[in-house]
Amino acid sequence: MSDSDFERQGMAVLASIESQLEALMQTTSVQWDSALEGTVLRLTFDDDSRIVINLQAPLREIWLAYADQGLCVESVPLQDIAAR
């Protein structure tokens, strides 16, 4: 997969996540702000907790980071997401 293919597919995944979360917000009392800037999607919740989802082009992965008694980072190869 080329860099441009990864970025195009990865940005589509990030936009889909943001869109689905916006729809979810209509059905729950939990509120958050989302900001998609470049290849980074930031979610900030009312309790000031944060989730960051970003593309890691050199590794062809999407990373999710959040604080849970420290910083946790999870990664998933883009081809695994595309296969779902």
Side-chain angles (χ1 to χ4, degrees):
M1 176 184 302
S2 71
D3 287 348
S4 61
D5 287 340
F6 172 79
E7 185 168 337
R8 182 179 41 77
Q9 292 178 25
M11 291 303 295
V13 169
L14 293 178
S16 176
I17 291 169
E18 185 176 38
S19 175
Q20 291 178 50
L21 287 172
E22 291 296 324
L24 179 63
M25 194 171 6
Q26 304 303 317
T27 65
T28 182
S29 62
V30 177
Q31 297 293 303
W32 59 85
D33 291 320
S34 65
L36 181 56
E37 300 170 355
T39 61
V40 179
L41 175 60
R42 291 182 174 84
L43 306 171
T44 305
F45 295 84
D46 286 346
D47 66 358
D48 206 32
S49 61
R50 295 187 176 105
I51 295 175
V52 177
I53 305 169
N54 67 301
L55 304 182
Q56 289 294 321
L59 301 174
R60 302 296 192 259
E61 294 179 341
I62 296 179
W63 288 16
L64 179 135
Y66 59 95
D68 181 24
Q69 299 178 352
L71 179 65
C72 298
V73 176
E74 306 286 336
S75 67
V76 177
L78 181 61
Q79 66 269 16
D80 289 355
I81 294 171
R84 294 180 186 174

